[in-house]
Amino acid sequence: MDIKKVFENNEKWIAEKLAIDKDYFSKLSKGQNPEFLYIGCSDSRVTAEDLMGVKPGEAFIHRNIANLVNNIDLNVMSVLNYAVRYLKVNHVVVCGHYNCGGVKAAMQAADLGVLNPWLRNIRDVYRLHKDELNNISDLDLRYNRLVELNVQEQCVNLIKTAEVQEAYKERGLTVHGWVFDIHNGKLIDLKIDFPKILEHISEIYNLY
Ligand code: CO
């Protein structure tokens, strides 16, 4: 797509919105009240709002390479803090996707420069689940499974945070792990068991 087309598209989009509701933008400017925080991959094919049918104002969105929740990443931690403590979202979603380039890169023996420390998080996920993963001989299936396990571990990382633990006690906030199947467009719920994970990690990570 030609980048100059963006502004034409924007004018069209404005006209479409105003044709449906002439107060569309004045309503939008009044504030946001999203029900959930979505943490997904930056991959250009995984169009968060579009694939979920979510309208402006309905989801707080954070995207990075391979949908990681790293506790010393000020970016994701700030997004989480703001969404949970100020916007009062009731759901936090980690959404991975099959054919994730970040996950694939972490399965290879290669020096990727500044990406090394970022992708190290995924190598750590691999190490945690090495036995299960190495038992899958089909490399494509192993790759898919690592995508799922990466989502699961990022959910665990969320549950280790004070924001999530507090909001869970206070109002029953829930963490979800999803995978987007790029081959057919389906969103798959991995059905992460939040209370079980919290109980499992609470001996060490409990902040309350
Ligand atoms: Co990706």
Side-chain angles (χ1 to χ4, degrees):
M1 196 190 92
D2 186 341
I3 200 154
K4 283 182 223 141
K5 192 120 200 311
V6 165
F7 292 91
E8 275 172 46
N9 289 349
N10 174 248
E11 289 300 333
K12 262 189 228 157
W13 177 77
I14 294 169
E16 278 166 23
K17 295 294 177 197
L18 293 176
I20 297 163
D21 180 358
K22 65 177 173 40
D23 299 322
Y24 183 84
F25 293 101
S26 61
K27 283 179 191 161
L28 207 57
S29 66
K30 290 207 167 75
Q32 58 174 332
N33 188 22
E35 181 61 17
F36 64 100
L37 163 62
Y38 167 101
I39 300 167
C41 185
S42 297
D43 193 303
S44 59
R45 301 164 297 177
V46 188
T47 55
E49 289 96 331
D50 192 36
L51 75 90
M52 295 187 289
V54 159
K55 293 197 272 299
E58 291 182 340
F60 205 61
I61 305 282
H62 177 80
R63 292 168 71 178
N64 63 37
I65 291 176
N67 40 270
L68 297 181
V69 179
N70 180 305
N71 84 109
I72 56 162
D73 173 19
L74 198 52
N75 192 348
V76 69
M77 286 299 135
S78 304
V79 167
L80 177 70
N81 184 287
Y82 186 69
V84 173
R85 288 199 168 147
Y86 297 92
L87 296 174
K88 305 275 181 197
V89 298
N90 287 312
H91 304 272
V92 183
V93 175
V94 176
C95 185
H97 67 102
Y98 296 135
N99 292 38
C100 181
V103 173
K104 178 134 220 167
M107 290 175 82
Q108 285 154 6
D111 178 352
L112 298 163
V114 77
L115 275 171
N116 290 338
W118 190 253
L119 297 176
R120 240 284 306 281
N121 294 288
I122 307 170
R123 292 184 197 271
D124 291 341
V125 172
Y126 197 111
R127 182 173 51 82
L128 271 173
H129 298 276
K130 186 174 157 231
D131 294 343
E132 180 188 342
L133 287 164
N134 285 352
N135 264 329
I136 306 170
S137 50
D138 183 307
L139 285 182
D140 287 334
L141 293 178
R142 191 189 294 179
Y143 176 22
N144 284 354
R145 186 60 185 145
L146 181 56
V147 164
E148 294 169 1
L149 291 169
N150 180 48
V151 167
Q152 187 184 301
E153 290 304 325
Q154 304 318 314
C155 289
V156 174
N157 287 343
L158 282 169
I159 298 169
K160 289 171 183 170
T161 67
E163 287 87 344
V164 167
Q165 289 179 14
E166 181 193 51
Y168 172 66
K169 280 201 173 155
E170 190 185 275
R171 59 180 192 274
L173 172 137
T174 312
V175 172
H176 309 265
W178 298 348
V179 172
F180 175 68
D181 188 344
I182 217 153
H183 306 95
N184 57 25
K186 278 224 159 69
L187 205 50
I188 301 154
D189 186 352
L190 297 176
K191 299 200 163 65
I192 299 293
D193 191 339
F194 182 137
K196 201 176 151 197
I197 295 171
L198 181 62
E199 198 196 318
H200 181 68
I201 65 168
S202 65
E203 184 193 346
I204 296 163
Y205 298 98
N206 196 9
L207 300 175
Y208 281 85

